[in-house]
Amino acid sequence: FRPWSVPGPGLSAAEAGGTVETETLLSMAFLRLLSALPASLRLPAKLQQVPASWDLQKLRARVSQLLVVWIDASEDRAQALLQALQGLYSNLQLLLQESSYFCGGEAWAELELVLTIAAATAEALASIQDASAYPMPEVLAQLLAGLPGFPFAAAPVPWSSLLEVGAAELICALDTWITPSRCSPSSEPGRSLLTFAFRLATAAGARGAAQSAA
């Protein structure tokens, strides 16, 4: 396995032949991957229709598989992934405060991107460790708590269905962490999330993902 062969990092064989330790090289490559991933996955802000040839579901599945390979057995790379997600989420929060970004579609594209990468991150982390034995990472907890408050209902086509699918897949990816002790149905956050999940289950655009989330 050569880290420079994976789309994103861009390390050359010559660079890999230096005196830098293997783990340092892998970390460098992973950081390059993290910097390239958002640009590769962000959908066009002016998107009017999703071409069937894109096969977004298959593409999204590959993202989590790619992340599993990179963060396996490396706590540092797992933390780097969470920090990258935190940066994207912080940028999203700024966009959500500016109504002009909704008109141009930038906010919808950024929200869909954050949901996609968050779900892939959760799946990757849950696949390499017993997630139930660890607290939910803070940025994922923030996103989960914020889901019911995102303006999904105001999103135009095709963003409405894309966002519903993204939210449902994030909830499914966080399933290991969503327990009665952490998200009690009797608490306000728990009731809010439960209501939101059931609303997603009735959304035509979300299909199977939303029903699994509920």
Side-chain angles (χ1 to χ4, degrees):
F1 175 72
R2 299 185 303 166
W4 55 87
S5 67
V6 177
L11 279 180
S12 67
E15 288 179 284
T19 60
V20 184
E21 295 180 358
T22 301
E23 182 57 35
T24 302
L25 267 177
L26 289 172
S27 296
M28 290 168 55
F30 186 59
L31 290 177
R32 294 193 185 186
L33 172 63
L34 290 180
S35 66
L37 204 56
S40 300
L41 296 175
R42 186 180 287 106
L43 299 177
K46 298 186 182 300
L47 184 69
Q48 298 295 320
Q49 184 177 3
V50 180
S53 60
W54 287 8
D55 199 354
L56 285 183
Q57 185 176 7
K58 185 176 182 179
L59 172 65
R60 298 327 194 200
R62 286 179 177 174
V63 175
S64 61
Q65 295 168 4
L66 177 65
L67 293 178
V68 168
V69 172
W70 277 96
I71 69 174
D72 189 22
S74 176
E75 179 64 24
D76 288 343
R77 291 198 291 275
Q79 289 302 314
L81 174 59
L82 290 170
Q83 289 172 8
L85 177 59
Q86 182 67 67
L88 289 172
Y89 182 43
S90 297
N91 183 57
L92 171 65
Q93 290 176 307
L94 293 176
L95 288 180
L96 292 177
Q97 297 172 11
E98 298 290 339
S99 59
S100 61
Y101 287 108
F102 286 102
C103 297
E106 289 89 348
W108 303 125
E110 199 67 21
L111 177 53
E112 197 277 339
L113 172 70
V114 169
L115 293 175
T116 295
I117 294 184
T121 297
E123 290 177 3
L125 292 175
S127 70
I128 63 172
Q129 62 184 17
D130 181 8
S132 62
Y134 298 90
M136 186 186 304
E138 181 61 25
V139 63
L140 293 176
Q142 292 173 359
L143 273 166
L144 182 65
L147 279 180
F150 287 135
F152 295 107
V157 175
W159 295 111
S160 53
S161 59
L162 288 171
L163 295 175
E164 287 166 352
V165 169
E169 290 182 345
L170 176 57
I171 294 174
C172 290
L174 293 172
D175 179 67
T176 304
W177 284 285
I178 301 176
T179 62
S181 60
R182 291 172 175 170
C183 302
S184 173
S186 62
S187 67
E188 179 56 35
R191 288 196 300 271
S192 180
L193 180 61
L194 191 61
T195 301
F196 176 73
F198 277 111
R199 183 176 69 79
L200 281 180
T202 64
R207 299 174 184 172
Q211 294 173 2
S212 297

Coordinates of all heavy atoms in Angstrom, one line a residue, residues 77-133:
R77 N -4.2 10.5 13.4 CA -4.9 10.7 12.2 C -6.4 10.8 12.5 O -7.2 11.6 11.8 CB -4.6 9.7 11.1 CG -3.2 9.8 10.6 CD -3.0 9.1 9.3 NE -3.1 7.6 9.4 CZ -2.0 6.9 9.7 NH1 -0.8 7.4 10.0 NH2 -2.1 5.6 9.8
A78 N -6.9 10.0 13.4 CA -8.3 10.1 13.8 C -8.6 11.5 14.3 O -9.7 12.1 14.0 CB -8.7 9.1 14.8
Q79 N -7.7 12.1 15.2 CA -7.9 13.4 15.7 C -7.8 14.5 14.6 O -8.5 15.5 14.6 CB -6.9 13.7 16.8 CG -7.1 12.9 18.1 CD -8.5 13.2 18.7 OE1 -8.9 14.3 18.8 NE2 -9.2 12.1 19.1
A80 N -6.9 14.3 13.6 CA -6.8 15.2 12.5 C -8.1 15.2 11.7 O -8.5 16.3 11.2 CB -5.6 14.8 11.6
L81 N -8.7 14.1 11.6 CA -10.0 14.0 10.8 C -11.1 14.8 11.6 O -11.8 15.5 11.0 CB -10.4 12.5 10.7 CG -11.8 12.2 10.1 CD1 -11.9 12.8 8.7 CD2 -12.0 10.7 10.0
L82 N -11.1 14.6 12.9 CA -12.1 15.3 13.7 C -11.9 16.8 13.6 O -12.8 17.6 13.6 CB -12.1 14.8 15.1 CG -12.7 13.4 15.3 CD1 -12.4 12.9 16.7 CD2 -14.2 13.4 15.0
Q83 N -10.6 17.2 13.7 CA -10.3 18.7 13.6 C -10.7 19.3 12.2 O -11.2 20.4 12.1 CB -8.8 18.9 13.8 CG -8.4 18.6 15.3 CD -6.9 18.6 15.4 OE1 -6.1 19.0 14.5 NE2 -6.4 18.3 16.6
A84 N -10.5 18.5 11.2 CA -10.9 18.9 9.8 C -12.4 19.1 9.8 O -13.0 20.1 9.2 CB -10.5 18.0 8.8
L85 N -13.2 18.2 10.4 CA -14.6 18.3 10.4 C -15.1 19.5 11.2 O -16.0 20.2 10.8 CB -15.2 17.0 11.0 CG -16.7 16.9 11.1 CD1 -17.4 17.1 9.8 CD2 -17.2 15.6 11.8
Q86 N -14.4 19.7 12.3 CA -14.7 20.9 13.2 C -14.5 22.2 12.4 O -15.3 23.1 12.5 CB -13.8 20.9 14.4 CG -14.1 22.0 15.4 CD -15.5 21.9 16.0 OE1 -15.7 21.0 16.8 NE2 -16.4 22.8 15.7
G87 N -13.5 22.2 11.6 CA -13.2 23.4 10.7 C -14.4 23.6 9.7 O -14.8 24.8 9.5
L88 N -14.8 22.5 9.1 CA -15.9 22.6 8.1 C -17.2 23.1 8.8 O -18.0 23.9 8.3 CB -16.1 21.3 7.4 CG -15.0 20.9 6.5 CD1 -15.3 19.4 6.0 CD2 -15.0 21.8 5.3
Y89 N -17.4 22.5 10.0 CA -18.7 22.9 10.8 C -18.6 24.3 11.2 O -19.7 25.0 11.1 CB -18.8 21.9 12.0 CG -20.0 22.1 12.8 CD1 -21.3 22.3 12.2 CD2 -20.0 22.1 14.2 CE1 -22.4 22.5 12.9 CE2 -21.2 22.3 14.9 CZ -22.4 22.5 14.3 OH -23.5 22.7 15.0
S90 N -17.5 24.8 11.6 CA -17.4 26.2 12.0 C -17.7 27.1 10.8 O -18.3 28.2 11.0 CB -16.0 26.5 12.6 OG -15.7 25.7 13.7
N91 N -17.2 26.8 9.7 CA -17.4 27.5 8.4 C -18.9 27.5 8.1 O -19.5 28.5 7.7 CB -16.6 27.0 7.3 CG -16.8 27.8 6.0 OD1 -16.5 29.0 6.0 ND2 -17.2 27.2 4.9
L92 N -19.5 26.3 8.3 CA -21.0 26.2 8.0 C -21.8 27.1 8.9 O -22.7 27.8 8.4 CB -21.4 24.8 8.2 CG -22.9 24.5 8.2 CD1 -23.5 24.8 6.8 CD2 -23.2 23.1 8.6
Q93 N -21.4 27.2 10.2 CA -22.1 28.0 11.1 C -22.1 29.5 10.7 O -23.1 30.3 10.8 CB -21.6 27.9 12.5 CG -21.9 26.5 13.1 CD -21.2 26.3 14.5 OE1 -20.0 26.5 14.6 NE2 -22.1 26.0 15.5
L94 N -21.0 29.9 10.1 CA -20.8 31.3 9.6 C -21.8 31.5 8.4 O -22.4 32.6 8.3 CB -19.4 31.6 9.3 CG -18.4 31.7 10.4 CD1 -17.0 31.9 9.9 CD2 -18.8 32.8 11.4
L95 N -21.8 30.5 7.5 CA -22.6 30.7 6.3 C -24.1 30.7 6.7 O -24.9 31.4 6.1 CB -22.4 29.5 5.4 CG -21.0 29.5 4.6 CD1 -21.0 28.2 3.7 CD2 -20.9 30.7 3.8
L96 N -24.5 29.9 7.7 CA -25.9 29.9 8.1 C -26.4 31.2 8.7 O -27.6 31.5 8.7 CB -26.1 28.8 9.1 CG -26.0 27.3 8.6 CD1 -26.1 26.3 9.7 CD2 -26.9 27.0 7.5
Q97 N -25.5 32.1 9.1 CA -25.9 33.4 9.6 C -26.1 34.4 8.5 O -26.6 35.5 8.8 CB -24.8 33.9 10.6 CG -24.6 33.0 11.8 CD -23.4 33.4 12.6 OE1 -22.8 34.4 12.4 NE2 -23.0 32.5 13.6
E98 N -25.7 34.1 7.3 CA -25.8 35.0 6.2 C -26.9 34.5 5.2 O -26.6 33.5 4.5 CB -24.5 35.2 5.5 CG -23.4 35.8 6.4 CD -23.6 37.3 6.7 OE1 -24.4 37.9 5.9 OE2 -23.1 37.7 7.7
S99 N -28.0 35.2 5.1 CA -29.1 34.7 4.3 C -28.7 34.7 2.8 O -29.2 34.0 2.0 CB -30.3 35.6 4.5 OG -30.0 37.0 4.2
S100 N -27.8 35.6 2.4 CA -27.4 35.7 1.0 C -26.8 34.4 0.5 O -26.9 34.1 -0.7 CB -26.4 36.9 0.8 OG -25.2 36.6 1.6
Y101 N -26.1 33.6 1.4 CA -25.5 32.4 0.9 C -26.6 31.3 0.6 O -26.3 30.4 -0.2 CB -24.6 31.9 2.0 CG -23.3 32.7 2.1 CD1 -23.1 33.5 3.2 CD2 -22.3 32.6 1.2 CE1 -21.9 34.2 3.3 CE2 -21.2 33.3 1.2 CZ -21.0 34.1 2.3 OH -19.8 34.9 2.4
F102 N -27.8 31.5 1.2 CA -28.8 30.5 0.8 C -29.4 30.8 -0.6 O -29.7 29.9 -1.3 CB -30.0 30.6 1.8 CG -29.7 30.0 3.2 CD1 -29.3 30.8 4.2 CD2 -29.7 28.7 3.3 CE1 -29.0 30.3 5.5 CE2 -29.4 28.1 4.6 CZ -29.1 28.9 5.6
C103 N -29.4 32.1 -1.0 CA -29.9 32.5 -2.3 C -29.0 31.9 -3.4 O -29.5 31.4 -4.4 CB -30.0 34.0 -2.4 SG -31.2 34.7 -1.2
G104 N -27.7 31.9 -3.2 CA -26.8 31.4 -4.2 C -26.6 29.9 -4.1 O -26.0 29.3 -5.0
G105 N -27.0 29.3 -3.0 CA -26.9 27.8 -2.9 C -25.7 27.4 -2.1 O -25.5 26.2 -1.8
E106 N -24.8 28.4 -1.8 CA -23.5 28.0 -1.1 C -23.8 27.3 0.3 O -23.1 26.3 0.6 CB -22.6 29.2 -0.9 CG -22.0 29.8 -2.1 CD -22.9 30.8 -2.8 OE1 -24.1 30.9 -2.4 OE2 -22.4 31.5 -3.7
A107 N -24.7 27.8 1.0 CA -25.0 27.3 2.3 C -25.6 25.9 2.2 O -25.2 25.0 3.0 CB -26.0 28.2 3.1
W108 N -26.5 25.6 1.2 CA -27.0 24.3 1.1 C -25.9 23.3 0.7 O -25.8 22.2 1.2 CB -28.1 24.3 0.0 CG -29.2 25.2 0.2 CD1 -29.6 26.2 -0.6 CD2 -30.0 25.3 1.4 NE1 -30.7 26.9 -0.1 CE2 -31.0 26.3 1.1 CE3 -30.1 24.6 2.6 CZ2 -31.9 26.7 2.1 CZ3 -31.1 25.0 3.5 CH2 -32.0 26.0 3.3
A109 N -25.0 23.7 -0.2 CA -23.9 22.9 -0.6 C -23.0 22.6 0.6 O -22.5 21.4 0.7 CB -23.1 23.5 -1.8
E110 N -22.7 23.6 1.4 CA -21.8 23.4 2.5 C -22.5 22.5 3.6 O -21.8 21.6 4.2 CB -21.4 24.7 3.1 CG -20.2 24.7 4.0 CD -18.9 24.4 3.2 OE1 -18.9 24.7 2.0 OE2 -17.9 24.0 3.9
L111 N -23.8 22.7 3.8 CA -24.5 21.8 4.8 C -24.5 20.4 4.3 O -24.2 19.5 5.1 CB -25.9 22.3 5.0 CG -26.8 21.5 5.9 CD1 -26.1 21.3 7.3 CD2 -28.2 22.2 6.0
E112 N -24.7 20.1 3.0 CA -24.7 18.8 2.5 C -23.3 18.2 2.6 O -23.1 17.0 3.0 CB -25.1 18.8 1.0 CG -25.5 17.4 0.5 CD -24.4 16.6 0.0 OE1 -23.3 17.1 -0.2 OE2 -24.6 15.3 -0.1
L113 N -22.3 19.0 2.4 CA -20.9 18.5 2.5 C -20.6 18.1 3.9 O -20.0 17.0 4.2 CB -19.9 19.6 2.0 CG -18.4 19.3 2.3 CD1 -17.9 18.2 1.4 CD2 -17.6 20.6 2.0
V114 N -20.9 18.9 4.9 CA -20.7 18.7 6.3 C -21.4 17.4 6.8 O -20.8 16.6 7.5 CB -21.1 19.9 7.2 CG1 -21.0 19.5 8.7 CG2 -20.1 21.1 6.9
L115 N -22.6 17.2 6.4 CA -23.4 16.0 6.7 C -22.7 14.8 6.2 O -22.6 13.7 6.8 CB -24.8 16.1 6.3 CG -25.7 17.2 6.9 CD1 -27.1 17.3 6.3 CD2 -25.8 16.9 8.4
T116 N -22.3 14.9 4.9 CA -21.6 13.7 4.3 C -20.3 13.4 4.9 O -20.1 12.2 5.2 CB -21.3 14.1 2.8 OG1 -22.6 14.3 2.1 CG2 -20.5 13.0 2.1
I117 N -19.5 14.3 5.2 CA -18.2 14.0 5.8 C -18.4 13.6 7.3 O -17.6 12.7 7.8 CB -17.2 15.2 5.7 CG1 -16.9 15.5 4.2 CG2 -15.9 15.0 6.5 CD1 -15.9 16.6 4.0
A118 N -19.3 14.2 7.9 CA -19.6 13.8 9.3 C -20.1 12.3 9.4 O -19.6 11.6 10.3 CB -20.7 14.7 9.9
A119 N -20.9 11.9 8.5 CA -21.4 10.5 8.5 C -20.2 9.6 8.2 O -20.1 8.5 8.8 CB -22.5 10.4 7.5
A120 N -19.4 10.0 7.2 CA -18.3 9.1 6.9 C -17.3 9.0 8.0 O -16.7 8.0 8.3 CB -17.6 9.7 5.6
T121 N -17.1 10.1 8.7 CA -16.2 10.2 9.9 C -16.7 9.2 11.0 O -16.0 8.5 11.6 CB -16.1 11.6 10.4 OG1 -15.5 12.4 9.4 CG2 -15.2 11.6 11.7
A122 N -18.0 9.3 11.3 CA -18.6 8.5 12.3 C -18.5 7.0 12.0 O -18.2 6.2 12.8 CB -20.1 8.9 12.5
E123 N -18.8 6.7 10.7 CA -18.7 5.3 10.3 C -17.3 4.8 10.4 O -17.0 3.6 10.8 CB -19.2 5.2 8.8 CG -20.7 5.4 8.7 CD -21.1 5.3 7.2 OE1 -20.2 5.0 6.4 OE2 -22.3 5.5 6.9
A124 N -16.3 5.6 10.0 CA -14.9 5.2 10.1 C -14.5 5.0 11.5 O -13.8 4.0 11.9 CB -14.0 6.3 9.4
L125 N -14.8 5.9 12.4 CA -14.5 5.8 13.8 C -15.1 4.6 14.5 O -14.5 3.8 15.2 CB -14.8 7.0 14.6 CG -14.1 8.3 14.3 CD1 -14.7 9.5 15.0 CD2 -12.6 8.2 14.6
A126 N -16.4 4.3 14.1 CA -17.1 3.2 14.7 C -16.6 1.9 14.2 O -16.7 0.9 14.9 CB -18.6 3.3 14.4
S127 N -15.9 1.9 13.1 CA -15.5 0.6 12.5 C -14.1 0.2 13.0 O -13.7 -1.0 12.9 CB -15.4 0.7 11.0 OG -14.3 1.6 10.6
I128 N -13.4 1.1 13.7 CA -12.0 0.7 14.1 C -11.9 0.6 15.6 O -10.9 0.4 16.2 CB -11.0 1.7 13.6 CG1 -11.3 3.1 14.2 CG2 -10.9 1.8 12.1 CD1 -10.2 4.1 13.9
Q129 N -13.0 0.9 16.3 CA -13.0 0.8 17.8 C -14.4 0.6 18.3 O -15.4 0.7 17.6 CB -12.5 2.1 18.4 CG -13.3 3.3 18.1 CD -12.8 4.6 18.7 OE1 -11.6 4.7 19.0 NE2 -13.6 5.6 18.8
D130 N -14.5 0.1 19.5 CA -15.8 -0.1 20.2 C -16.4 1.3 20.5 O -16.1 1.8 21.6 CB -15.7 -1.0 21.4 CG -17.0 -1.2 22.1 OD1 -18.1 -0.8 21.5 OD2 -17.1 -1.8 23.2
A131 N -17.1 1.9 19.6 CA -17.6 3.3 19.8 C -18.4 3.4 21.1 O -18.4 4.5 21.7 CB -18.4 3.7 18.6
S132 N -19.2 2.4 21.5 CA -20.0 2.5 22.6 C -19.3 2.7 23.9 O -19.8 3.1 24.9 CB -20.9 1.2 22.7 OG -20.1 0.1 22.9
A133 N -18.0 2.3 23.9 CA -17.1 2.4 25.1 C -16.5 3.8 25.2 O -15.9 4.1 26.2 CB -16.0 1.4 25.1

